[in-house]
Amino acid sequence: MNKNFKMKEPYSTFKPVEVPLPYYVDHGKMILKTGTKPLWNFASWCIITSTVLVSKFFLKFCTSSYNVYNQEPFIKTLMDPNRTRPILTVANHLSTIPFKNFLSRHRTRWTLGAQEICFTTPKLSNFFALGQVIPTIRGAGIYQPAMNFALERLNEGRWIHIFPEAKINQTTELIYFKWGIGRLIMESINPPIVIPIWHKGFEKVMPKERDHTWIPLFGKNIVIVYGDPIDFKDILINYRAGKTDEATNY
């Protein structure tokens, strides 16, 4: 990598940003106020672990079928003890039901979540913050504090999960991807390993039109497919060295 490469200064957002506690913004930088860190870490581990176990139980015992394909390359990449690069997973957004996760808090993903849905009350804000969800304001642009926060986590070598469609899409056609994913890839100091994920069936578990919003439907077929890891490192090295530009096709 070009060690002289520096990230661009963030541009202003498209509209005013007010983030919910326990997040706050100081001089344009989003910070997570954790209070007593050991207690926060334990509470976060409990939230993440319980969510994973409940989700795993549901997928295993409350669906008619649950099939996962090509997961091994992702697991190998995530669990590699010698891995120094961050991971960026990208999935379609059929529903809000989470897929399989891990019991190690350090290996658990951070993810971008709509602030107007996940952070509407103090209790919800704390729950999702403990679950490593970053409050994102739709329409505030790719340089808002939430995106800067996600970029910082990538630069720490962490795992970021993103739904580039930026809203729940329960059709068979992908929505035009938002630009945020491009910024995360291009401005990471250590380019992330990108892993695409495609899933279907969750739109039947949690359809938009139903009487009880938070009650899932049982007996549905779930399919999750992991793509092979994609490495943009060489492309980014050439771009940062001035050997190519944004318009070049690969």
Side-chain angles (χ1 to χ4, degrees), residues 109-136:
R109 92 290 172 269
W110 286 86
T111 189
L112 302 172
Q115 182 170 312
E116 72 273 17
I117 296 175
C118 301
F119 293 83
T120 55
T121 68
K123 288 183 179 179
L124 280 177
S125 295
N126 280 287
F127 175 83
F128 282 104
L130 287 166
Q132 298 186 172
V133 177
I134 307 166
T136 310

Side-chain angles (χ1 to χ4, degrees), residues 25-43:
V25 176
D26 183 19
H27 294 90
K29 181 179 180 180
M30 179 181 283
I31 300 171
L32 176 57
K33 187 176 182 179
T34 59
T36 305
K37 195 164 185 178
L39 180 60
W40 177 275
N41 289 343
F42 176 72

Side-chain angles (χ1 to χ4, degrees), residues 21-177:
L21 292 174
Y23 289 93
Y24 67 96
V25 176
D26 183 19
H27 294 90
K29 181 179 180 180
M30 179 181 283
I31 300 171
L32 176 57
K33 187 176 182 179
T34 59
T36 305
K37 195 164 185 178
L39 180 60
W40 177 275
N41 289 343
F42 176 72
S44 179
W45 181 85
C46 290
I47 292 293
I48 292 170
T49 302
S50 60
T51 302
V52 170
L53 293 177
V54 169
S55 301
K56 181 65 175 178
F57 178 88
F58 180 88
L59 291 173
K60 190 171 181 64
F61 298 106
C62 300
T63 60
S64 61
S65 65
Y66 169 43
N67 299 302
V68 180
Y69 299 96
N70 199 41
Q71 190 181 40
E72 292 76 15
F74 168 64
I75 297 296
K76 182 179 179 181
T77 301
L78 180 66
M79 306 299 287
D80 183 359
N82 299 316
R83 177 174 60 84
T84 59
R85 295 172 61 187
I87 292 176
L88 179 63
T89 50
V90 185
N92 57 316
H93 203 175
L94 283 171
S95 181
T96 53
I97 287 290
F99 49 86
K100 181 179 179 181
N101 222 316
F102 300 89
L103 302 184
S104 169
R105 181 173 174 271
H106 181 73
R107 291 194 180 101
T108 303
R109 92 290 172 269
W110 286 86
T111 189
L112 302 172
Q115 182 170 312
E116 72 273 17
I117 296 175
C118 301
F119 293 83
T120 55
T121 68
K123 288 183 179 179
L124 280 177
S125 295
N126 280 287
F127 175 83
F128 282 104
L130 287 166
Q132 298 186 172
V133 177
I134 307 166
T136 310
I137 300 176
R138 292 170 175 171
I142 66 173
Y143 292 98
Q144 62 176 286
M147 293 299 299
N148 298 338
F149 187 93
L151 189 58
E152 290 173 3
R153 302 291 78 76
L154 284 176
N155 289 336
E156 294 171 354
R158 302 296 293 273
W159 168 19
I160 291 288
H161 181 75
I162 189 170
F163 298 99
E165 293 173 289
K167 67 177 182 179
I168 297 173
N169 172 24
Q170 299 198 329
T171 70
T172 57
E173 299 294 330
L174 288 174
I175 298 175
Y176 182 79
F177 283 9

